[in-house]
Amino acid sequence: MAERETPKSFESGFVPGRHIIDTYGNGGFRFAGMSHRGSILMLPSGVRAWDVTEPRAIDRSALRPVQAEAAGIELLLVGTGLDIAAIDPALRGWLKDFGVGLDVMQTGAAARTYNILVAENRKVAAALIAVA
């Protein structure tokens, strides 16, 4: 008799594997058959809950998980909410030191671009601030 597969849960704040973003809005995201209220990091290792709620909170500390996986990331897409927000040039340089390019856009555009690049098997990650 085959073992029953345990359904994935995002309660731990992490789901392993690369996943497409099914939908976004209403303060969260749907992916891998789950929903999450709040911001997320889409990394090569999996999806992580991200406690950033506004662009000015995006700093080195918030992006440490990206730094930890930099060898598998060529481009980081940052979704800054409903509006595009400037990112500190020093942060861009810090990421570049690890070989990670940075592209900043609205969260919706970042989610759509992420899906396209994942489908092309590109080395992409996304840091997405949830939008209402």
Side-chain angles (χ1 to χ4, degrees):
M1 182 179 228
E3 281 188 41
R4 176 180 256 178
E5 186 175 323
T6 305
K8 296 176 189 170
S9 170
F10 201 64
E11 291 176 13
S12 69
F14 177 74
V15 174
R18 292 187 63 130
H19 301 282
I20 296 295
I21 300 164
D22 297 318
T23 60
Y24 61 91
N26 296 322
F29 300 87
R30 286 194 52 79
F31 55 90
M34 294 173 271
S35 63
H36 171 69
R37 286 194 63 76
S39 302
I40 56 175
L41 285 174
M42 306 292 287
L43 299 169
S45 64
V47 184
R48 295 187 180 281
W50 195 39
D51 63 1
V52 172
T53 59
E54 57 189 9
R56 68 176 175 224
I58 301 172
D59 59 14
R60 289 181 184 195
S61 177
L63 295 178
R64 290 282 179 218
V66 173
Q67 177 190 13
E69 295 191 38
I73 301 169
E74 291 177 353
L75 177 64
L76 173 65
L77 302 170
V78 176
T80 57
L82 293 175
D83 298 312
I84 299 172
I87 297 295
D88 180 1
L91 186 61
R92 186 179 296 273
W94 178 74
L95 288 166
K96 188 176 181 180
D97 289 344
F98 298 105
V100 177
L102 177 67
D103 201 349
V104 180
M105 57 192 79
Q106 295 172 316
T107 292
R112 292 186 299 274
T113 303
Y114 174 82
N115 284 348
I116 291 167
L117 295 178
V118 165
E120 293 176 352
N121 203 30
R122 301 272 304 274
K123 291 182 174 184
V124 63
L128 305 171
I129 294 177
V131 296

